[in-house]
Amino acid sequence: MQYSLLNKINDPSDVRKLTIDELEELSRELRNYIIETLNICGGHFAANLGAIELTIALHHVFHTPEDKLIWDVGHQAYPHKVLTGRKSQLHTIKQADGLAPFPKREESIYDTFGVGHSSTSISAGLGMAIAAKMQGKDYKSVAIIGDGGLTGGMAFEALNHAGSIDADLLVILNDNDMSISPNVGALNNYLARILSGKLYTTLREGSKKVLAKMPPIQSLAKRTETHLKGMIAPGTLFEELGFHYFGPIDGHDLKTLVPMLENLKVLKGPQFLHVITTKGKGFAPAEADPVAYHAVKSGFNNNPTSSIPAKITKPTYSDVFGEWLCDMAKIDSKLYAITPAMCEGSGMTRFAEEFTERYCDVGIAEQHCVTFAAGMACQGMKPVVAIYSTFLQRGYDQLIHDVAIQNLDVTFALDRAGLVGADGPTHAGSFDLSYLRCIPNMIILAPGDEDECWQMLYTAYHYPGPAAVRYPRGSGPGKPLTKMMTPLEIGKGEIRRSGQRICLLAFGSMVTPTLKAGEHLDATVVNMRYVKPLDEHLLIQMADTHELIVTIEENAVMGGAGSGVNETLTKLNRHPPILNLGLPDVYIEHGNPDKMLSACGLDEHGIISAVLNKLSSIPFANTHASERETSTQL
């Protein structure tokens, strides 16, 4: 397809030269370009199509990068990347050495704040606005946040702060979860333009100065203005927080967006613009089902009548959790499932439909989610919190203070543990074993396959205190489900292979590659099952009968499961040579999951190589090393 205008855009200065009619043509070309490119490489989809006109208008009106655009989460930032000089690289997004999946400061001067988690943009934008004031600089800070991001408590904390101080901040609510009829939309567009105009603003600010000398009348005028605006626009809440509210307006209408932003650009103090957009705009299947088209795989548009490519039939760990949740709910009426806006991703769609009264999506509010579960547990309910490992980090204080200190019976199903591939370091669950292991009263389970995940969920559910089952993204080795509803013994591992001299202690997702490495090394392989409590009896047995102990985990080495083994053996007065394998002390960038694990030395060959290298440095093991190395085929 020809992109006559888009091909001329090298940076936002080119966008600022265009007329409104040319901006509209640019939006059509950009929308087609994103559809065409993501059909090749895949990536986040519906949110990007919905934000095209807004992105174009922002770069047309504001003098970026001097003016700061702060995107919340960043699912909608592909148009921004294209307009800021990265068009030729869009096909590499989410791939190793390609564009980052979200805005990233190291990638571009136009990416003013690195994101990936939700509800951060207003806080960051406010910080930039105050910094500008302190440094005597005249730039505008613009925070763009979605209606989903606005459900996060952090966003309201920032709004409350910003509205109470003289900060030159513009917050744009990109609302794609409500519809407005053409008539109502046109009226709101007209009213918003009038309310943001210079005449209205001058009269408003002038009247405030006059009325300030007559407090009773000033109070009446303020109440009257607020209630009148509340009748025609849903902005009363934001006005009460100290913002000047404008909207809602059509976020796809450049003839409205551009003059509105030009008006707001010159206003001082906290401003709030409410725009209505449609997720998946311009691609009918995505407009009809934006959840399914949140992200797409390559080839999704090869057949115009097709929808998202069919899912792999092999069940994922999320699927296993969703099925277990439904079966468990049939057995125990006290079960109540909670998620912070991760219903589909966590495999809870069926549960939400079949057990509507025992399901709650609290929105992007992880802190509330954890304490909400604690409150239920106080009253004898059995809450199960389905949450991604990376997102539980946001509710860490609540996990300690509200759940663990009180030793409450809350089960945490930790999805996306370990590396997650294309979504990169903001979404990787690299630290949960480290940050959970130090919490008293917690038990932590890590399944090595799908069937064990089922049994561990049952075990954790029946443990009378806080328990976490952490499992990786995607599918496991493919072990069929027996659906056994019997608990595993707390803190007991299992020997999966008996060998000589070397003992490999595998945790969770590392069991499969460790078993393969164990065959080559003729090593004993233990599926530890528990990260906390560790099987002390088994550790003593292994330490007393092997020349080398190796721990393998898909978690940061520092403070992880291997650290727990080291501490335990020291406590038990056992001091064998130990090798800890896991994720290195760096943030692992996005890429293919298997290649990422291989680069970290966490595949079969990496484990073998690390073990042989370690053996070469152990004097009393060297007598066996040459024989083992000869027989080992890498």
Side-chain angles (χ1 to χ4, degrees), residues 44 93-96 98-102 104 115-117 388 390-391 393 416-431 473 583 586-593 596:
H44 289 113
I93 202 155
K94 289 189 157 195
Q95 299 172 27
L99 289 182
F102 307 104
K104 184 177 180 181
V115 294
H117 287 189
Y388 290 7
T390 182
F391 296 146
Q393 293 166 184
R416 271 63 167 181
L419 301 179
V420 293
D423 284 338
T426 62
H427 283 56
S430 305
F431 310 110
R473 182 178 192 172
L583 301 179
V586 296
Y587 291 107
I588 312 296
E589 295 298 334
H590 53 283
N592 175 277
M596 293 166 74

Side-chain angles (χ1 to χ4, degrees), residues 515-535:
L515 281 168
K516 293 176 181 178
E519 290 292 329
H520 284 278
L521 295 166
D522 189 22
T524 297
V525 177
V526 176
N527 172 16
M528 289 299 291
R529 285 182 166 171
Y530 288 85
V531 177
K532 185 180 182 182
L534 290 167
D535 190 336

Side-chain angles (χ1 to χ4, degrees), residues 81 86 98-109 111 590:
K81 288 179 183 258
R86 289 168 277 181
L99 289 182
F102 307 104
K104 184 177 180 181
R105 282 168 54 84
E106 296 88 343
E107 185 176 286
S108 171
I109 58 173
D111 292 359
H590 53 283

Side-chain angles (χ1 to χ4, degrees), residues 408-436:
L408 294 174
D409 188 0
V410 180
T411 301
F412 293 89
L414 258 60
D415 205 334
R416 271 63 167 181
L419 301 179
V420 293
D423 284 338
T426 62
H427 283 56
S430 305
F431 310 110
D432 54 72
L433 296 186
S434 301
Y435 72 68
L436 291 175

Side-chain angles (χ1 to χ4, degrees), residues 372-433:
F372 172 53
M376 297 198 80
C378 283
Q379 298 308 116
M381 295 295 288
K382 296 273 289 181
V384 176
V385 176
I387 188 169
Y388 290 7
S389 167
T390 182
F391 296 146
L392 183 57
Q393 293 166 184
R394 311 187 88 183
Y396 190 56
D397 178 68
Q398 289 71 23
L399 176 61
I400 295 173
H401 186 272
D402 301 334
V403 176
I405 286 179
Q406 302 184 94
N407 200 26
L408 294 174
D409 188 0
V410 180
T411 301
F412 293 89
L414 258 60
D415 205 334
R416 271 63 167 181
L419 301 179
V420 293
D423 284 338
T426 62
H427 283 56
S430 305
F431 310 110
D432 54 72
L433 296 186

